[in-house]
Amino acid sequence: MGDLNVRMALLLEYDGTNYAGWQRQNNGLAIQQVLEEAIEKLTGERTLTHASGRTDAGVHALGQVVHFDTQSRIPPHKFSLAVNTVLPEDIRVICSVAAKEDFHARFDAMGKTYRYAVCNSASGRAVGRQYCAHVPKALDVEHMQQAAQAFLGAHDFNAFMAQGSPVKSTVRRVYESCVYKQEDMIYFEVAANGFLYNMVRIMAGTLLCVGLGKMRPEHVASLLHGNRREYAGYTAKAKGLTLLRLDYGEKSPFQAGGEGKNSEHTCIDG
Amino acid sequence: MGDLNVRMALLLEYDGTNYAGWQRQNNGLAIQQVLEEAIEKLTGERTLTHASGRTDAGVHALGQVVHFDTQSRIPPHKFSLAVNTVLPEDIRVICSVAAKEDFHARFDAMGKTYRYAVCNSASGRAVGRQYCAHVPKALDVEHMQQAAQAFLGAHDFNAFMAQGSPVKSTVRRVYESCVYKQEDMIYFEVAANGFLYNMVRIMAGTLLCVGLGKMRPEHVASLLHGNRREYAGYTAKAKGLTLLRLDYGEKSPFQAGGEGKNSEHTCIDG
């Protein structure tokens, strides 16, 4: 390790309300662009940041993971503090560590957990309205819970992918899928080894159809055999979706004990 | 009751971020003004709305209570749905009921509960940043809990009132005062028979001084004998404060069983 290059891994939180999603693009301000500009301001380096995956416009993250290479002499575990001083308030680096030189935020990800939030009251909410969809009609939570069980396991989720998305396989393995209620909020939490484009939002929209009595809960299982998109429910609003955390198993740069070559800092919870 | 007049009571939630507080004023848009304009749009009536009390610019409410008189023929329990269609998303009427004709949102209030929220992590938070203050240095929660106990009971809170506020008495009775931690958030919840101007924010600022080790927890009790303002801590930021609920005892227009003369609807939790 003769050079000064460090592969930096960041644990990133953002409020997606005012952004055109993670990925840098011509139409609208992306989180990637804002982060890369902040890094350049801090280090003078033009960097390319790699996230665990894109998030759509309006989608939030509590535990997005990003890596990039830097020759900056800022100590890795202090990088988060430094970059937060130049980032806007709606993007925060929770934690920064030096990762192994071959760590890759996207390719090393073994799993990902999302949460979809719905306010299920007549009036909706003012406080926190940015982070949930609003469904005024009373939802049948038990039916939604029953339907959410069907997602568990390896299935062909073709019906739960936005049309025209080019992918090799539409099979994904879901290892957590549950619906729970807290006061007037209903949450759908789902973890999988990967997600197709719009997959969580279509799963959430389908569960909402079930909750509204427009689809029988037992019907959901029949949609998991590579069916066409139009058989599943609608694509639920982006603002209800939050990327909660990534799972890298033993490759996690943030674990206690630190897999990173220079890890001086551990990050618990995203 | 020969006339059509109805005294309407509203349970109101708002995100105070974009408002100059509850009370109508010349400098900036107040929640009262927006609500009264929405009522006028809906009913054609110019009304004067009365809240349980003012909230400062930037302060939020989950359970503000407001009353006004109307001759509208909209059924009281459906008024909330109707007015929400003309209100902006950051102000929601959770519930509307016909109250007794002499119900008064301010004068009938027996108690009020506020919550102050602080994010106590190095980075702060992006998601929900509108609803909490940020203190990066680690706070001593046990010392804050110990100090919060001192507020309980009837005391002269003169040191906890913004200077120049005209009031008859600076004695208030605090019947709930606690500090608790949830992940990286620290909450101070306080209920009293009434609050002086800026009282909760100065209490919160004083507890933060204690948490930062700038004031001994046992010192707080000595500030509750009508001391001068400068002996207490600073005034914590408005955005961390939320009015949680009002207590009207048996006079509550929202109670199950309904004290209101035409109550067809009950509202549980704000």
Side-chain angles (χ1 to χ4, degrees), chain A residues 4-264:
Chain A
L4 290 166
N5 194 66
V6 169
R7 177 146 296 190
M8 190 88 78
L10 306 180
L11 193 63
L12 197 67
E13 174 176 338
Y14 48 79
D15 178 332
T17 307
N18 297 318
Y19 297 101
W22 161 258
Q23 191 168 0
R24 191 186 268 270
Q25 55 165 275
N26 292 326
N27 304 312
L29 187 64
I31 293 143
Q32 183 182 23
Q33 182 184 340
V34 176
L35 179 62
E36 290 176 359
E37 286 173 1
I39 293 171
E40 186 177 351
K41 201 165 177 179
L42 191 65
T43 66
E45 297 172 325
R46 288 213 167 186
T47 56
L48 180 63
T49 58
H50 301 265
S52 69
R54 306 177 195 182
T55 52
D56 288 351
V59 171
H60 317 290
L62 292 179
Q64 174 67 289
V65 174
V66 171
H67 83 261
F68 65 98
D69 292 322
T70 178
Q71 302 201 341
S72 159
R73 288 170 181 271
I74 300 171
H77 67 288
K78 290 191 175 168
F79 193 87
S80 56
L81 279 174
V83 74
N84 280 334
T85 63
V86 286
L87 280 169
E89 277 193 336
D90 53 5
I91 303 179
R92 297 283 91 189
V93 176
I94 304 298
C95 182
S96 55
V97 293
K100 280 189 177 165
E101 60 188 355
D102 63 347
F103 171 75
H104 197 289
R106 181 167 162 219
F107 301 137
D108 287 349
M110 297 167 61
K112 206 178 267 195
T113 306
Y114 279 100
R115 184 180 60 204
Y116 198 88
V118 175
C119 176
N120 192 215
S121 73
S123 56
R125 41 165 56 193
V127 171
R129 70 196 178 285
Q130 307 89 334
Y131 312 119
C132 59
H134 175 217
V135 176
K137 206 183 150 194
L139 292 164
D140 186 324
V141 177
E142 282 183 30
H143 276 184
M144 291 172 72
Q145 285 168 330
Q146 192 186 328
Q149 291 301 301
F151 292 133
L152 287 167
H155 304 286
D156 184 336
F157 283 94
N158 190 67
F160 295 85
M161 178 179 70
Q163 286 181 313
S165 316
V167 283
K168 287 180 195 155
S169 163
T170 50
V171 174
R172 293 294 182 274
R173 187 175 55 80
V174 170
Y175 53 86
E176 188 196 327
S177 175
C178 65
V179 168
Y180 56 98
K181 191 171 160 66
Q182 285 179 348
E183 298 180 6
D184 61 354
M185 296 295 295
I186 295 170
Y187 298 98
F188 165 48
E189 206 167 305
V190 59
N193 61 348
F195 289 92
L196 302 164
Y197 187 53
N198 274 357
M199 181 168 152
V200 188
R201 289 169 59 190
I202 301 171
M203 291 167 109
T206 302
L207 292 179
L208 291 174
C209 286
V210 169
L212 290 166
K214 295 178 181 173
M215 191 189 286
R216 295 291 308 163
E218 54 272 21
H219 183 63
V220 173
S222 72
L223 299 170
L224 297 167
H225 306 289
N227 308 55
R228 287 186 7 215
R229 167 70 188 93
E230 55 264 42
Y231 294 131
Y234 71 98
T235 306
K237 279 191 183 175
K239 72 173 187 168
L241 187 59
T242 301
L243 172 57
L244 290 187
R245 57 185 165 269
L246 267 293
D247 178 13
Y248 292 100
E250 291 186 350
K251 289 191 177 175
S252 171
F254 304 113
Q255 277 187 339
E259 294 293 312
K261 61 177 175 180
N262 291 319
S263 189
E264 298 167 86

Side-chain angles (χ1 to χ4, degrees), chain B residues 88-102:
Chain B
E89 278 193 335
D90 54 4
I91 304 178
R92 298 282 90 189
V93 176
I94 304 298
C95 181
S96 55
V97 293
K100 280 189 176 165
E101 60 187 355
D102 62 348

